[in-house]
Amino acid sequence: MAMLRSLLLLFIVFSMGNAEVKKCPYGWTNFGVRCYKFFSEAVNWITAEKNCQRLDANLASVHNKIEQDFLLSLLPSSTTRCWFGTHDGEQEGQWLWTDGTPYDYTYWAPGQPDNKGIENCGDNMKWFIYNRWNDAACLTSLGYVCAKYL
Ligand SMILES: [Ca+2]
Ligand SMILES: [Ca+2]
């Protein structure tokens, strides 16, 4: 009986060991089921997405106002804009997320997206009163926010 009890105890200990809580890598911030990080290095949009992919991430997608507010909270106050994961490069006006999630939410600034002079990449602005999205020329250099699943 004592043996059985010991075996049971061992089983429980090992089970608990396997049920470890998933954590974000150092420097990334957990929100919901994803981990986010702002990179201040200013690069063009495709470089930003590729840099995220090297970290098993994509440029961040946004699916509701709570995620939008969280994403902007990652930006240092001096940084007014960052790349995030939306683009309409394949077909004008058909916006997609680089992480493949459904395009089920938008938060464009007034008058945006305006495709002014050809703008196919989304930036998120902590600027003036808006805290909203803009479409920008993809070769613009901006910081960016990557996101990946836990
Ligand atoms: Ca466009
Ligand atoms: Ca624009």
Side-chain angles (χ1 to χ4, degrees), residues 87-89 91-93 95 113-116 118-121 135:
H87 64 109
D88 74 336
Q91 189 178 331
E92 181 54 36
W95 292 88
D114 58 359
N115 200 44
K116 194 175 181 180
I118 300 181
E119 296 182 319
N120 293 341
C121 292
D135 58 342

Side-chain angles (χ1 to χ4, degrees), residues 10-149:
L10 267 176
F11 175 75
I12 290 169
V13 167
F14 277 108
S15 301
M16 286 171 71
N18 288 336
E20 64 183 282
V21 177
K22 286 184 177 177
K23 279 188 188 168
C24 292
Y26 180 76
W28 295 65
T29 306
N30 174 235
F31 187 78
V33 293
R34 294 192 287 176
C35 306
Y36 296 74
K37 186 172 181 181
F38 169 71
F39 294 85
S40 58
E41 173 200 15
V43 295
N44 64 38
W45 185 89
I46 194 67
T47 302
E49 171 63 22
K50 285 185 170 183
N51 287 352
C52 292
Q53 288 184 13
R54 269 201 287 274
L55 302 168
D56 294 322
N58 291 103
L59 284 171
S61 59
V62 176
H63 300 279
N64 54 58
K65 181 64 162 56
I66 301 169
E67 281 183 353
Q68 168 69 10
D69 291 345
F70 171 75
L71 190 152
L72 289 185
S73 77
L74 297 173
L75 306 187
S77 56
S78 59
T79 304
T80 55
R81 297 165 67 192
C82 69
W83 289 128
F84 72 136
T86 193
H87 64 109
D88 74 336
E90 284 78 20
Q91 189 178 331
E92 181 54 36
Q94 298 297 309
W95 292 88
L96 299 169
W97 296 117
T98 55
D99 64 9
T101 52
Y103 200 73
D104 51 8
Y105 175 79
T106 62
Y107 201 59
W108 297 106
Q112 305 297 337
D114 58 359
N115 200 44
K116 194 175 181 180
I118 300 181
E119 296 182 319
N120 293 341
C121 292
D123 71 285
N124 220 320
M125 300 187 288
K126 195 174 185 179
W127 174 64
F128 193 40
I129 57 170
Y130 292 129
N131 292 332
R132 283 175 177 260
W133 307 353
N134 171 51
D135 58 342
C138 299
L139 291 178
T140 307
S141 288
L142 295 175
Y144 54 98
V145 175
C146 300
K148 61 175 167 181
Y149 288 95

